[in-house]
Amino acid sequence: MTATTPHTATVMLECNNLTRVYNEGPQDLTVLDQLELKVHAGERVAIVGSSGSGKTTLLNLLGGLDRPSAGSVVIAGEPLSGLNEAALGRFRNRYIGFVYQFHHLLAEFTAVENAALPLIIRGQSKKVAEQRAMQLLERVGMKARADHKPGELSGGERQRVAIARALVTDPSLVLMDEPTGNLDQTTASTILALMDELAKESACAFVIVTHDVSLAAHQDRVLKLDGGQLIEQKND
Ligand SMILES: Nc1ncnc2c1ncn2[C@@H]1O[C@H](COP(=O)(O)OP(=O)(O)O)[C@@H](O)[C@H]1O
Ligand SMILES: [Mg+2]
């Protein structure tokens, strides 16, 4: 584990000319308009913007869950446009951790089974995958609830399990849509500290969509999505 200095490190994510036009309805809707973004290894970027400005659209494109109308997304040197659906699935499993706005946990599985799932998909044994998942659950303060199913957990607890699941594969890039929306202040602070550690330990890059002012202020950069483009808000 080597400490990596943000800004001087390698580029983990780059978008050029990124454009997404929705063609449903009578008029085309241009949500992202030749957007540019570069995030280095170990760097944490917050994306803010009003409701409907295109934050989720952007995150879905960065995570390979949607395809752009024009322009490119390159992650760890790999242009996503060059990958077919199967290859994209494998790439996502290897490099990307995604925390959705509404957690998307599997109701029939326990917390530890949910958190272990990306490793099982990758082909690891249940035992090894669940050992690793337990480590992450411990770090998000959910070890004691590992055997509970999502229906037995509060919103904030489910969100923490979703965060553990996103981090279990040691991703290079973590994408989060409102990760602290359901968390109380103490738990949110725990998650922030965990993100700090991971960015330092593993040079993991974070792109976090948030309305939470303190979460945004805690990141290296804050970018505002407005008019289909990203505008720098703060740089320290
Ligand atoms: N699949 C879709 N088809 C058509 N319009 C969409 C689709 N998804 C999102 N939109 C529209 O694109 C705009 C941006 O949506 P979204 O990315 O969800 O914004 P945010 O996450 O910032 O609230 C909104 O006007 C929304 O209605
Ligand atoms: Mg959204």
Side-chain angles (χ1 to χ4, degrees):
M1 287 190 285
T2 48
T4 309
T5 313
H7 309 295
T8 58
T10 51
V11 175
M12 188 56 75
L13 164 69
E14 187 162 9
C15 300
N16 290 116
N17 193 33
L18 190 66
T19 300
R20 181 68 170 97
V21 182
Y22 289 117
N23 303 114
E24 284 131 69
Q27 276 190 318
D28 285 352
L29 180 66
T30 303
V31 176
L32 306 178
D33 189 8
Q34 305 192 322
L35 177 146
E36 304 283 319
L37 173 63
K38 195 185 274 189
V39 182
H40 293 90
E43 192 178 25
R44 289 162 306 153
V45 175
I47 293 181
V48 299
S50 55
S51 175
S53 60
K55 303 181 298 297
T56 295
T57 298
L58 174 59
L59 224 50
N60 287 344
L61 290 174
L62 300 184
L65 301 172
D66 182 26
R67 301 276 191 179
S69 308
S72 61
V73 177
V74 180
I75 294 173
E78 183 78 46
L80 299 191
S81 61
L83 303 175
N84 64 24
E85 289 308 308
L88 193 55
R90 285 192 297 274
F91 184 85
R92 211 185 287 128
N93 181 268
R94 172 141 183 233
Y95 286 99
I96 303 173
F98 210 116
V99 180
Y100 302 88
Q101 192 161 8
F102 303 104
H103 67 76
H104 291 302
L105 297 175
L106 298 178
E108 296 307 308
F109 287 11
T110 63
V112 67
E113 287 167 343
N114 267 288
L117 207 56
L119 293 175
I120 305 274
I121 289 169
R122 191 186 275 200
Q124 290 198 348
S125 73
K126 192 167 189 286
K127 185 167 176 237
V128 170
E130 290 192 359
Q131 273 171 356
R132 176 75 186 133
M134 281 304 278
Q135 290 173 353
L136 268 304
L137 287 178
E138 185 165 18
R139 290 181 85 166
V140 297
M142 286 296 294
K143 193 179 175 188
R145 311 301 302 277
D147 294 328
H148 292 251
K149 291 182 179 169
E152 302 157 359
L153 302 173
S154 73
E157 287 172 336
R158 285 178 214 157
Q159 192 67 313
R160 283 189 274 165
V161 175
I163 291 169
R165 179 184 56 184
L167 300 175
V168 79
T169 54
D170 293 313
S172 304
L173 173 66
V174 175
L175 305 171
M176 298 179 156
D177 208 347
E178 291 284 345
T180 57
N182 289 316
L183 304 181
D184 60 77
Q185 203 56 53
T186 311
T187 310
S189 303
T190 309
I191 300 300
L192 283 181
L194 177 60
M195 284 167 16
D196 285 349
E197 285 169 30
L198 290 169
K200 283 204 196 84
E201 273 173 23
S202 61
C204 180
F206 289 86
V207 176
I208 303 165
V209 165
T210 186
H211 289 291
D212 181 337
V213 177
S214 64
L215 176 62
H218 196 82
Q219 310 309 312
D220 298 313
R221 285 191 288 151
V222 180
L223 305 173
K224 184 174 184 189
L225 186 53
D226 194 9
Q229 302 199 340
L230 290 169
I231 302 149
E232 196 96 21
Q233 299 288 290
K234 178 193 130 201
N235 202 343
D236 53 37

